[in-house]
Amino acid sequence: MRFRRLLVPLLILLTTAVSFPVRGQDADTNTIDDAAQTYANIVRATYLDSHDAAKDLLRVVREFVDAPTQAGLESAKAAWNTAREPYLQSEVFRFSGGPIDDEDGPEPFLNAWPLDEGFIDYVEGFPKQGIVNQSDLYPAITKEVLVELNEKEGETMISTGYHAIEFLLWGQDLSEDGPGARPMTDYTTHPNAARRKAYLVVCCELLVEHLEGLVKEWQSDIDGNYRSQFLADRKRSLWQVVAGARQFAGVEFGSDRLLVAWDTQLQEEEHSCFSDTTHRDVIFDAQGLENVLMGRYDFQGPINRRLVGIGLIALAKDFDSALAVSIEASLATVTEAAESIPVPFDQAILGEDDAPGRVAIFATVTALEHLAGQLAKLEAALAAELKR
């Protein structure tokens, strides 16, 4: 039995509601100011760590392609995994009118998925498939070419970003009990090894550049950037932040990434299918929600960064202390459920609906729906505040 047809309408109802009654007094101006500053600081720190980790990935990849070895390939994979951790925590910033996914935002070049791997390189049964192997169609592999091609022929025709790099490092996942197993010889003796090397390096360079642009948009010392606009109208900005977090939790995270994979039981629907690290995606996406709601950020990277301030839960207390308690409890349930999903994700989605993996994934979806519903109440309260 499948529940998606019932769940999705319920999810949409929960995550688009804007008229929940909220008790309590007006929001304190100092709390709003502090919450806005805290959010801006968390966003900058998260993108800065994402940028630093991407630069490290680029360095490791360059070392690998200069002198390919199996150890070098494994080091590149490890660097990719590390680079994902801060970026996944940034995904809660989406859908809030910010620079990540506005009209000119770089999100489609960073984390677009699902990816048709045959658009990039060979796949099983098609050895001459993809940009890498079609030098007649794509004589040069450059940043301009890959950016131009990204999603040009369809939303799965993705040529850049984390998942393109992931595929170039791991290859197709054709195993039930492990990730992809791209042979190191793809970067040495394969006829198009040089083009594959070039593609991998260019993809990593683009990753660094796109993340650098986001860091600049949130720096505190650049006049006219997005951060200055964000802080100029703090009530409206926080309303957009809550609306974005609500949409991310209920629609992007809960429905698109988890419920669809749970419903279809297709490996292609898991977020990081080549590396079999989707369970990490779930955990760090949940961590991103926690960062914004609790008003803190703690990342152990090249620079150990720890921020503590006023989060959305503290802001909610100004409207309704019971609502704040409910949001915090919902968040704790999401975190616990996310961490309970068995590894690997592509096996956890299989079986009957009472299988442990499917139960854990469905529980995470349900917890995210409930959190989205609670955030909708805070969103309504902030909307009312804007009318005062």
Side-chain angles (χ1 to χ4, degrees):
M1 181 180 180
R2 298 284 176 264
F3 298 103
R4 187 181 176 196
R5 291 184 180 179
L6 296 175
L7 270 175
V8 172
L10 173 61
L11 186 147
I12 292 172
L13 174 63
L14 284 172
T15 58
T16 57
V18 293
S19 58
F20 289 93
V22 178
R23 305 183 307 276
Q25 69 276 14
D26 300 347
D28 182 80
T29 301
N30 290 333
T31 303
I32 288 176
D33 289 348
D34 290 345
Q37 285 283 2
T38 297
Y39 179 83
N41 290 338
I42 288 174
V43 175
R44 180 183 179 276
T46 309
Y47 283 139
L48 191 58
D49 284 334
S50 299
H51 181 244
D52 287 347
K55 287 194 297 183
D56 191 58
L57 171 61
L58 174 59
R59 176 187 60 79
V60 174
V61 161
R62 282 175 171 162
E63 291 175 355
F64 165 63
V65 300
D66 284 346
T69 63
Q70 188 61 44
L73 179 58
E74 296 307 317
S75 293
K77 291 177 180 178
W80 183 89
N81 278 323
T82 299
R84 289 287 286 167
E85 292 182 7
Y87 184 78
L88 287 163
Q89 293 177 66
S90 81
E91 295 203 274
V92 67
F93 310 147
R94 295 186 57 198
F95 313 112
S96 297
I100 177 60
D101 54 4
D102 63 12
E103 185 176 350
D104 300 316
E107 199 281 333
F109 302 104
L110 285 168
N111 199 45
W113 76 285
L115 178 152
D116 182 349
E117 56 264 50
F119 184 59
I120 294 176
D121 201 354
Y122 74 85
V123 293
E124 188 177 38
F126 297 90
K128 297 182 179 180
Q129 188 81 6
I131 297 168
V132 168
N133 302 296
Q134 296 173 334
S135 57
D136 54 334
L137 295 178
Y138 312 104
I141 296 176
T142 65
K143 295 176 187 177
E144 293 75 16
V145 167
L146 295 190
V147 167
E148 173 66 22
L149 289 174
N150 195 61
E151 295 188 336
K152 182 179 180 180
E153 298 180 24
E155 61 180 12
T156 65
M157 302 302 186
I158 297 161
S159 55
T160 71
Y162 287 101
H163 296 298
I165 297 168
E166 179 192 10
F167 173 56
L168 288 167
L169 292 174
W170 273 272
Q172 279 183 292
D173 180 6
L174 303 174
S175 170
E176 292 185 359
D177 57 359
R182 182 183 290 280
M184 192 272 293
T185 52
D186 277 2
Y187 289 96
T188 55
T189 59
H190 188 279
N192 288 310
R195 286 174 60 83
R196 190 171 290 109
K197 289 178 182 180
Y199 199 126
L200 181 59
V201 170
V202 168
C203 252
C204 291
E205 289 174 344
L206 283 171
L207 194 72
V208 171
E209 290 179 11
H210 286 128
L211 289 167
E212 182 178 8
L214 291 171
V215 172
K216 290 179 178 178
E217 288 288 356
W218 285 96
Q219 282 183 202
S220 58
D221 57 351
I222 298 180
D223 291 336
N225 66 355
Y226 183 78
R227 182 187 178 117
S228 62
Q229 300 171 36
F230 179 88
L231 295 176
D233 191 351
R234 301 182 184 195
K235 285 184 182 180
R236 181 168 296 279
S237 295
L238 287 174
W239 169 68
Q240 290 178 314
V241 166
V242 175
R246 184 254 308 156
Q247 184 171 346
F248 174 72
V251 180
E252 176 71 16
F253 189 2
S255 180
D256 291 353
R257 299 195 182 178
L258 296 182
L259 187 59
V260 172
W262 181 93
D263 182 55
T264 63
Q265 301 194 31
L266 294 175
Q267 183 187 59
E268 290 77 8
E269 295 292 352
E270 69 162 328
H271 198 212
S272 295
C273 62
F274 311 118
S275 59
D276 264 355
T277 56
T278 300
H279 62 288
R280 289 162 55 86
D281 295 358
V282 177
I283 289 170
F284 284 106
D285 276 342
Q287 182 64 56
L289 279 165
E290 181 176 320
N291 295 344
V292 169
L293 295 179
M294 300 298 291
R296 60 192 184 212
Y297 176 75
D298 192 350
F299 182 72
Q300 306 299 313
I303 298 175
N304 295 336
R305 217 179 303 276
R306 190 167 194 274
L307 302 174
V308 179
I310 299 297
L312 299 184
I313 291 174
L315 179 64
K317 288 180 181 178
D318 274 8
F319 296 102
D320 185 342
S321 59
L323 174 60
V325 170
S326 180
I327 293 174
E328 189 166 1
S330 296
L331 174 63
T333 302
V334 167
T335 300
E336 182 179 359
E339 292 176 348
S340 74
I341 296 175
V343 181
F345 185 88
D346 61 2
Q347 298 303 299
I349 60 177
L350 302 179
E352 300 297 326
D353 290 344
D354 59 355
R358 289 180 61 74
V359 169
I361 294 169
F362 194 79
T364 308
V365 172
T366 302
L368 285 164
E369 288 179 2
H370 190 264
L371 176 60
Q374 298 304 306
L375 290 175
K377 296 179 182 180
L378 179 57
E379 183 184 351
L382 283 166
E385 184 79 11
L386 287 171
K387 297 177 181 179
R388 295 179 186 279

